[in-house]
Amino acid sequence: MKPGMVPPPPGEESQTVVLPPGWQSYLSPQGRRYYVNTATNETTWERPGSSPGIPASPGPHRSSLPPTVNGYHASGTPAHPPETAHMSVRKSTGDSQINCVTFPHPDTMPEQQLLKPTEWSYCDYFWADKKDPQGNGTVAGFELLLQKQLKGKQMQKEMSEFIRERIKIEEEYAKNLAKLSQNSLAAQEEGSLGEAWAQVKKSLADEAEVHLKFSAKLHSEVEKPLMNFRENFKKDMKKCDHHIADLRKQLASRYAAVEKARKALTERQRDLEMKTQQLEIKLSNKTEEDIKKARRKSTQAGDDLMRCVDLYNQAQSKWFEEMVTTTLELERLEVERVEMIRQHLCQYTQLRHETDMFNQSTVEPVDQLLRKVDPAKDRELWVREHKTGNIRPVDMEI
């Protein structure tokens, strides 16, 4: 089937309905049709409209699709079209729980497709927990992503501090150059060489001005943006962390309720089985009443288990959706941070090149005057000004 074509639902006549580019249609385990945008990972029950990425009904809403893992819904249907699959693993019929999260059983894993094949996206590789280096416990995959974000923010701050130290060096250098340009050494040199020497000292003052401007631009165009970029970043990261952590706690609570309900059902079934055996041994009205009562309790326990499992699946689905959304947002923030730093470091190198050019321009007049230094002309001018007479002495006559 070509991308953008909707497979007909079971029981309907074979036909295809064109979807907007980037949308695919699948069936949930309950047989309800839903739609997935392969570019944004958005899911919706409403059929998308004719414009790309726009659902037919106003305001697309997040779906309550069954739990998904690595791009596959619980029904085994892919969250993206099969044509883009690059990684597949074994088929599965069972599942396993790891830290209250349901994963396909490793021995019978369903074929799964990455949400963003070939991109090494955050949303594909941080679902499980990881043992910490000391082996004292585990760290959630999402926590690793948060740690990376906070480390990136710290690196950005240290880069800003580094640029600040560079600015201090420039300012101190400019101050020393300006002071040296006022030095009176060799101030009495005359002629064209004296002019060249005076220009050398003036070039120091000009160079000091260049470095002062360089340091000012470093502050306003590099250091300050690096320091101010995402001032509330740490607070926002904590908010994300608390939100995901709360969902994970809710999932753990739902899982505990499922286990409790499963245990209760086992006990009720055991009680029903025991009373049934007693009935076989001795038939009595009391035993029959006990069996009816035990059967009602067993049925109720089964209903409770189904309700708990449903609540657990809802909690896991919400956690999954928030994980995808938040990890993709963290990925976007990381790309934005790296790109921002790259741009400002490029601005640093540009300012540095400009400073070199301005420094070169301050010594060009010195070069020009040095090329004009003429000892013979200097001698002529000096002699004309300071001569004492051009009549030479002669021999004495007797």
Side-chain angles (χ1 to χ4, degrees):
M1 181 179 300
K2 295 182 179 178
M5 307 298 286
V6 183
E12 293 187 8
E13 294 181 1
S14 178
Q15 59 179 348
T16 57
V17 181
V18 178
L19 285 171
W23 287 90
Q24 288 290 325
S25 170
Y26 300 102
L27 289 177
S28 72
Q30 294 76 29
R32 186 178 177 186
R33 185 166 298 284
Y34 64 93
Y35 303 89
V36 179
N37 187 310
T38 60
T40 64
N41 300 316
E42 175 191 343
T43 56
T44 177
W45 295 113
E46 302 293 335
R47 185 182 181 281
S50 57
S51 300
I54 302 177
S57 63
H61 59 276
R62 189 171 298 202
S63 71
S64 57
L65 294 177
T68 61
V69 179
N70 286 351
Y72 269 72
H73 298 293
S75 61
T77 56
H80 291 285
E83 288 86 345
T84 59
H86 285 81
M87 293 185 64
S88 62
V89 287
R90 293 163 292 182
K91 298 273 183 180
S92 153
T93 55
D95 53 31
S96 60
Q97 280 72 37
I98 303 176
N99 289 344
C100 303
V101 180
T102 302
F103 292 98
H105 195 280
D107 294 333
T108 54
M109 192 175 296
E111 187 172 315
Q112 288 189 340
Q113 177 194 332
L114 298 176
L115 292 173
K116 288 182 171 290
T118 75
E119 292 190 27
W120 291 95
S121 175
Y122 290 168
C123 67
D124 277 320
Y125 296 98
F126 292 89
W127 293 105
D129 297 343
K130 184 178 182 180
K131 288 185 177 180
D132 61 24
Q134 291 75 26
N136 298 325
T138 59
V139 180
F142 185 76
E143 181 64 27
L144 290 176
L145 292 177
L146 284 180
Q147 290 175 5
K148 176 173 174 54
Q149 293 288 322
L150 294 175
K151 179 181 178 182
K153 179 64 176 178
Q154 178 63 27
M155 295 303 99
Q156 178 182 315
K157 179 182 177 183
E158 292 181 10
M159 289 179 189
S160 178
E161 293 172 351
F162 181 90
I163 297 297
R164 186 183 306 140
E165 291 301 313
R166 181 75 170 88
I167 291 172
K168 290 180 181 179
I169 292 173
E170 287 294 324
E171 291 174 342
E172 187 66 24
Y173 183 55
K175 178 181 177 181
N176 290 334
L177 284 179
K179 182 178 179 180
L180 184 59
S181 69
Q182 302 299 319
N183 194 290
S184 60
L185 291 175
Q188 297 181 6
E189 181 60 56
E190 300 175 336
S192 57
L193 182 59
E195 292 179 14
W197 176 247
Q199 187 61 45
V200 167
K201 293 166 66 176
K202 182 179 181 303
S203 71
L204 293 182
D206 294 339
E207 188 177 352
E209 184 66 22
V210 168
H211 284 277
L212 278 178
K213 290 181 178 179
F214 175 51
S215 65
K217 286 188 174 182
L218 277 182
H219 171 69
S220 63
E221 299 180 21
V222 181
E223 180 209 0
K224 193 173 180 180
L226 285 176
M227 182 61 70
N228 295 339
F229 184 64
R230 293 191 196 136
E231 291 181 341
N232 297 323
F233 182 78
K234 201 165 186 177
K235 185 186 297 183
D236 292 340
M237 289 300 100
K238 284 185 177 180
K239 191 181 298 182
C240 287
D241 186 19
H242 291 159
H243 181 55
I244 295 295
D246 288 344
L247 290 176
R248 189 69 182 265
K249 288 178 182 177
Q250 184 181 23
L251 183 62
S253 175
R254 298 298 188 194
Y255 180 78
V258 169
E259 292 301 296
K260 182 178 179 181
R262 197 187 307 277
K263 182 179 179 181
L265 176 60
T266 301
E267 292 175 354
R268 295 303 181 188
Q269 289 176 333
R270 187 182 297 116
D271 182 58
L272 176 60
E273 182 180 355
M274 181 183 66
K275 285 181 169 54
T276 302
Q277 291 175 351
Q278 291 176 351
L279 177 62
E280 294 175 355
I281 298 174
K282 183 179 180 181
L283 183 60
S284 69
N285 292 333
K286 186 175 183 303
T287 305
E288 289 180 356
E289 286 298 322
D290 288 344
I291 290 178
K292 290 180 181 180
K293 186 176 180 181
R295 186 175 291 114
R296 285 196 299 270
K297 289 183 178 181
S298 179
T299 302
Q300 181 62 47
D303 292 341
D304 291 343
L305 177 59
M306 291 178 64
R307 180 180 58 83
C308 290
V309 168
D310 184 54
L311 291 173
Y312 168 84
N313 287 338
Q314 291 178 28
Q316 181 169 258
S317 180
K318 185 171 179 58
W319 173 73
F320 169 83
E321 291 175 358
E322 290 299 326
M323 277 284 290
V324 171
T325 301
T326 309
T327 54
L328 288 176
E329 176 64 11
L330 293 181
E331 187 174 297
R332 184 191 67 79
L333 291 175
E334 177 67 5
V335 171
E336 185 181 60
R337 182 189 74 86
V338 171
E339 181 60 23
M340 186 278 298
I341 293 176
R342 186 194 69 81
Q343 290 178 358
H344 284 86
L345 292 182
C346 285
Q347 180 65 9
Y348 166 79
T349 59
Q350 178 64 28
L351 291 174
R352 188 68 182 85
H353 290 319
E354 291 177 0
T355 300
D356 290 341
M357 289 189 293
F358 286 134
N359 283 337
Q360 183 63 32
S361 68
T362 64
V363 298
E364 286 176 359
V366 177
D367 290 335
Q368 295 173 2
L369 289 175
L370 288 175
R371 285 193 292 269
K372 293 179 180 179
V373 170
D374 185 347
K377 185 66 176 177
D378 288 348
R379 186 172 63 251
E380 175 189 346
L381 294 174
W382 190 85
V383 169
R384 284 179 180 276
E385 183 180 352
H386 297 93
K387 64 183 179 179
T388 60
N390 58 351
I391 303 301
R392 298 183 298 279
V394 297
D395 292 340
M396 182 186 293
E397 296 182 355
I398 297 178

